[in-house]
Amino acid sequence: MQLIPCPWCGPREEAEFHYGGQAHVAYPEDPSALSDEEWAQYVFFRENPSGPFAERWSHSAGCRRWFNAVRDTRTHDLIAVYRAGEPMPEVIS
Amino acid sequence: MSSPPGAHLPEHPDFLWENPEPKASYDVVVVGGGGHGLATAYYLAKVHGITNVAVLEKGWLAGGNMARNTTIIRSNYLWDESSGIYEHSLKLWEGLEEDLGYPILFDQRGVLNLAHSLQDVRDSVRRVNANRLNGIDAEWVDPAGVKEICPIVNISQDVRYPVLGATYQPRAGIAKHDYVAWGYARAAHAMGVDLIQNCEVTGLETSGGRITAVETSRGRIAAGKVALCAAGHSSVLAKMVGLRLPLASHPLQALVSELLEPVHPTVVMSNAVHVYVSQAHKGELVMGAGIDSYNGYGQRGSFHIIEQQMSAALELFPIFARAHLLRTWAGIVDVSPDASPIVGLTPVGGLYLNCGWGTGGFKATPGVGHCFAHTIANDKPHPFNEPFTLERFTTGALVDEHGAAAVAH
Amino acid sequence: MNFRKPTGGAIDRNTVLRFTFNGQLLTGHPGDTLASALLANGVHEVGSSVKLGRPRGIVAAGSEDPTSLVQIETPYSEPMLLATTVELFDGLEARGLAGQGRLSPEPDPARYDAKHEHCDVLVVGAGPAGLVAALTAARSGARVVLVDEQNQAGGALLGVDEYLDDRPSAEWVADIVAELKTTPGVLVLERTTAFGMYQDGFVLALQKRTDHLGFAAPASVARQRVWRIRTKQTVLATGAHERPVVFANNDRPGIMLASSARTFLHRYGVLPGSRAVVFTTNDSAYCAAIDLAESGVDIPLIVDARPEAPARLATECAARGIEVRAGHVVTGTEGSSRVTDVHVAPLGDGHPDTVVCDTLLVSGGWNPVVSLFSQARGKLRYDSSLGAFVPGEELASVRVAGSATGELDLNACARQGRDAGAAAVVAAGFTPGGQVPLPVSDSRCTQRTGLVLWRVPGDEDASFVDLQRDATVTDVLRATGAGLRSLEHIKRYTTIGTAHDQGKTSGMIAAGIVAEALGVELADQRPTTFRPPYTSVSFAALAGRDRGELHDPVRVTAIHRWHVAHGALFENVAQWKRPWYYPRDGEDLHAAVLRECRATRESVGMMDGSTLGKIDVQGRDAGKFLDMLYTNMMSTLKVGRIRYGVMCGVDGMVIDDGTVIRVGEERFLVTTTTGNAAKILDWMEEWLQTEWPHLDVHCTSVTEHWATIPLVGPKSRDVLAAVAPSLDVSNEAFEFMTWHDTRVAGVPARVCRISFSGELAYEINVTAWHGLAVWEALMEAGSPYGITPYGTETMHVLRAEKGYPIIGQETDATVTPQDLGMSWAVSKKKPDFIGKRSFSRAENLRTDRKQLVGLLPVDPNVLLPEGSQIVETDRLPEPPVRMLGHVTSSYPSAALGRTFALALVRSGHERVGETLYVPVEDALVPVTVTESVLYDKEGARRDG
């Protein structure tokens, strides 16, 4: 079980968190302007890298805030956490 | 007391496969030496006469999900598309031991899928009826019937989530995963397929929109066609040609107990409480856990998942209280948005995709191997994998099997 | 025959414990394990092997033992325990196993629990290195946890009679433990095995709290406890296991690891036999030989595989009449249930001598215990002088000390412990305190590096690599001969290392034999992966308290007591217990539901709707926000009014529905389905926080704050009027889809005029505190009308008669609002809402989608089973049969005087009037497709 440093509450057990997949995937400004292919990319397609991955977590059994993290999917080590709206730290090489 | 456990198990053959150096070029390179890759190579050689084939495996053959799954085989999926390919697979399983000339311990001991809520019951009956009309053996059994098939299931109505009944597929069962892989490997090797271990694919080479070669840790290998059978690593490989896949790779844990006298004659699965368990041939309880929520390539999950698993298992099987956990492990399952696979052509000529099997990969091994080989040989999908295109995510023609997959994704 | 020495060992000879083994009554003493007590009684044969049925004895003294598997039967049956780790208690009944245990069908009466512990430094192993590490850490003021699997600290020192600093080692151990136990912030856990090492310093340990007490175990104390330890730094002082050498017939009872025999001698005062041959590749076995000889065991011979015996030890042996034969090996043994003879020959080739004995002690060197280090993802390195894998890198938060590193000298091990403890506290942010002095040992065994010898050539069919799995050298060579190269393949082919011991003593040897067979360097081989748990853990211990009622929380409403008292049967809906129906004497489900339906449609009924999810949505942008979430328009809703709404996922599939009431300009109260309440709150917060943080909206779950009571039926107005005298309940003053705040039964209430049945109906909401009182007041006020409480089943029938779908029953994540015939609830005006874009995908535009319709069986008495499939023809073709859809809901209807069903049917909306067929068992039931609304299509009953 990982120890996840919530940027609001500090380190807490993984069981308190909810996973939200890839971060920084914005809802399209005008979905009606997208082709079916482009829309499908938004709805279903996410990055799935082996290595550092910017992803979303919610401290669902704590402060209930969503935040972002960069985590290495090979080791599961959290490299950085940052609040929603903050830019991704320069950790992905 | 009958013969000691394990005494009845078959002996392995004295020869399995050679370990050749890769050749400079093959007609077909299969990336991934797991069950699907080996089966694909086997059917390419056997059915289509394509034997100038290499199977590239970055570790040891069948050391990924093939070595880590709980070996459940069944075909009682809800939708026509799924029941088509899984039933095709089950029929191949039924003749596989003879086909491969190798003991695979395929044991049709039946699978119970338990229902714990009134909606579970409706969904289960719906699936049973669909299965029967699709020619798949399936029945709905009430709690007393569950007890008759598997006497150790707690059917008391006085528990948190009582068993309200189950679907039962008598032809379902288990097999010995390693033996299946080795059987395919041995047979493929015997027909001329090169099985190359410790050979990691590091790049895919294309020219004019067609695949031409693979770059590997053991050098460049030219290829007429390349077939990806890399399960959890599919996204990484596809990305080498700029292809995005709608997949997330997650840890999926499983565990095994010590050897125990037979108590569990069938396979029991419960979606609602995330349990699937069988007792393997030597007597160990083999159990699958829930999927870890996060993406992960680390082949390890979090322990609280195992603890939850145990709590759910003991609700259903109080007799397991003092069984002991001997070993836990994790595989990497590539999960698609509709819990159905992606098998077919890609925008790159000569590059074929087989992924997204989530928790369903093992049971599909012969079926998908057979259909994928057909797809590769004919550059055209087999009717059974035709629905499982990448395009379905654009059109919306999904095959949503969340209800039938063993684990709620 | 008695093999107990008259003195010595940490046992209480004044107390006699009686136990039975395989039905034979035997005795032992407190401090014994089952294994030491058996050996004291001369019993070596414990069980038999799994495949070949050969006798199996006791090889090691601890948890690494590959063979001594027993089933204990008292006080409760438990399979597959090692005799070497079962502490003896009075009344113990045990029997040996043939590699397979038995699960008891009796319910396990024991309790289990789990505890979280946070510390700065965790030390695993209370041997010399671990003790010094823990004390060093403790003196810095850090929070320290020391766990050890034995019932007392000391580790390897428990098995020797050596002196440290010129006093018995037990005193040195006791002093350190005493200081640890009196230092604030230090927790010492005995009988506690760290079995799993995970991410971020998360270590799982199992504490056996009462097993050793047997029948005296208090029922109120959890038998076993899982410690979930979160530590900043870990020192692994997990020690080393002696490994054997493989030779022909190396599996007979009486063949034991040399250091284990020494442990049985010193810790338990037990002699392994009368006449023991020793076979070694290193110095340590000499100590065992000398100690045993001094305790009266006849040691005719030490067989040392090294070309030269260690001079000083050889001299000591000579002084005791022990012959040492260097450059020799054991090539085989004789005996059946016990070794009787040993064959000894020069290493290489030569004529064997036979030596008579009843015990053969073996030492093939030492394997550092690296399981936890490997679980922590530490890389291992092959040490060719040890013939073992050792920690091959330093980890930021995990240090290894003592013989777990491969170091075998006690003083050096203690120094590593001190260094590791000091480094750990510094890394955890502390300053090391007073330095712990390092002990000096008087051991005569200087631990000169031994010879790495995996096996002695001989009968390969009888040379056992894994004694528990009956896997022999032949099996290994067959595997390599079959073309297998990877250790993982060979393990799977031979099953070596897959038994209860997970290869603790066999794994390294197997790797060595494979490397020899293949002619490769072990340094180039990847060892097989160590996985949790280090030793086996019962399922029940891991389940802990989360069983029975605590398996998952039960949620009940404020009115639940009343439902129970009035005989309701309950349905699990998510975590809630909801009244399903209220049977009267002799009624089955159908009879009760027909009665409840009839009473409601003809007079008045009511139900407990408190489980509906309720979310208070507030803020300047609340309307705008809800416009994005619902398919229909919410921002135009006027204060005081109510609107039904549907929510879709981004894929355009219906995920939930419910009513939205506008409480104020900037405040809405949203209801969700019972099962989806938490998911919808999550959904809202996710969109708000991750996509639209600029919106001023706040969402709060108020599900449990309100008791919600739908009061339904033509007489509901009269009942409400009776309990809400200040409310004008007339149709003009209180319109459909509006709400009013008032007082009901004297308490503040919000009454909504909504209907999920088509009848005149009111939904009365009061704070949960008043729920029961208001419910009872309504029952009383309704009694002149025969008011009837009804459950979820009647609610389902009433809504189905009106064609209202239940999300999750009529839908399955593949159904759009249009499929449900709810295009009216999909806004054409809004530029966007979640799911809208998906409605124009190719698949959504097909006209042959499955759509919600009604089905009327041609025979009005036939009830279609829910979940039935629907086909087009009155005869079934061969499978696969084309299916048009399925029955989602099906009921007998009091109002319709017949059965009816709802179904999703391909092109259903176009098929109204068609006859289709439903296979039910062996028959095909003809049904007529209708619109989904079957009752009161004009809506005449809505206003009473």
Side-chain angles (χ1 to χ4, degrees), chain B residues 360-377:
Chain B
F362 178 73
K363 61 184 72 69
T365 301
V368 72
H370 186 257
C371 293
F372 198 39
H374 176 101
T375 305
I376 298 160

Side-chain angles (χ1 to χ4, degrees), chain B residues 67 75 220 342:
Chain B
S75 65
R220 177 183 184 275
I342 302 165

Side-chain angles (χ1 to χ4, degrees), chain B residues 115-363:
Chain B
H116 297 273
S117 71
L118 297 177
Q119 189 56 40
D120 273 357
V121 173
R122 292 181 199 105
D123 292 341
S124 301
V125 172
R126 175 187 178 192
R127 186 159 48 77
V128 163
N129 286 316
N131 288 162
R132 294 168 85 125
L133 292 170
N134 274 323
I136 293 169
D137 58 320
E139 53 194 280
W140 168 255
V141 291
D142 63 11
V146 169
K147 187 96 183 160
E148 209 168 291
I149 294 165
C150 187
I152 58 172
V153 175
N154 182 11
I155 58 161
S156 162
Q157 296 302 293
D158 207 21
V159 300
R160 184 68 185 87
Y161 293 111
V163 173
L164 303 184
T167 70
Y168 183 53
Q169 184 180 21
R171 286 164 60 240
I174 58 173
K176 178 75 182 166
H177 48 9
D178 290 332
Y179 301 3
V180 174
W182 300 350
Y184 273 120
R186 173 169 165 267
H189 170 264
M191 289 185 287
V193 171
D194 279 358
L195 307 175
I196 300 165
Q197 304 183 78
N198 300 309
C199 182
E200 183 171 5
V201 170
T202 55
L204 297 173
E205 196 180 293
T206 60
S207 171
R210 239 203 110 72
I211 198 91
T212 50
V214 295
E215 299 288 345
T216 80
S217 56
R218 295 172 70 173
R220 177 183 184 275
I221 301 172
K225 294 177 176 181
V226 172
L228 302 183
C229 291
H233 291 87
S234 298
S235 298
V236 175
L237 284 162
K239 205 171 176 189
M240 294 173 183
V241 287
L243 188 60
R244 279 183 104 201
L245 299 178
L247 297 178
S249 296
H250 291 277
L252 177 65
Q253 301 184 75
L255 58 96
V256 68
S257 79
E258 73 275 88
L259 306 192
L260 298 161
E261 289 174 21
V263 291
H264 184 18
T266 183
V267 180
V268 173
M269 310 179 67
S270 166
N271 258 3
V273 293
H274 302 316
V275 169
Y276 40 116
V277 60
S278 66
Q279 188 168 17
H281 303 84
K282 287 201 287 283
E284 62 270 42
L285 299 170
V286 181
M287 205 181 282
I291 202 160
D292 279 78
S293 67
Y294 47 78
N295 290 27
Y297 286 83
Q299 292 189 326
R300 85 185 316 196
S302 298
F303 197 73
H304 66 281
I305 304 282
I306 300 282
E307 291 178 308
Q308 288 163 3
Q309 170 71 12
M310 287 300 159
S311 139
L314 294 197
E315 288 300 289
L316 282 178
F317 301 98
I319 195 174
F320 292 169
R322 294 215 183 170
H324 299 98
L325 173 70
L326 206 58
R327 189 172 173 87
T328 64
W329 63 90
I332 311 167
V333 292
D334 43 329
V335 178
S336 73
D338 59 356
S340 283
I342 302 165
V343 186
L345 313 186
T346 72
V348 179
L351 180 68
Y352 305 90
L353 196 58
N354 167 38
C355 59
W357 285 93
T359 59
F362 178 73
K363 61 184 72 69

Side-chain angles (χ1 to χ4, degrees), chain C residues 89 132 138 223 270 298 302 359 412 451 608 626 653 777 883 896:
Chain C
F89 56 84
V132 173
R223 174 187 170 236
V270 170
D298 179 15
I302 295 178
T359 306
L451 174 76
D608 184 353
L626 294 179
M653 301 302 160
M883 289 168 257
L896 302 174

Side-chain angles (χ1 to χ4, degrees), chain B residues 12 14 161 261 315 324-325, chain C residues 78 101 375 478 537 548 552-553:
Chain B
H12 295 300
D14 284 334
Y161 293 111
E261 289 174 21
E315 288 300 289
H324 299 98
L325 173 70
Chain C
E78 181 155 354
Q375 286 184 36
R478 277 190 63 215
V537 184
D552 200 33

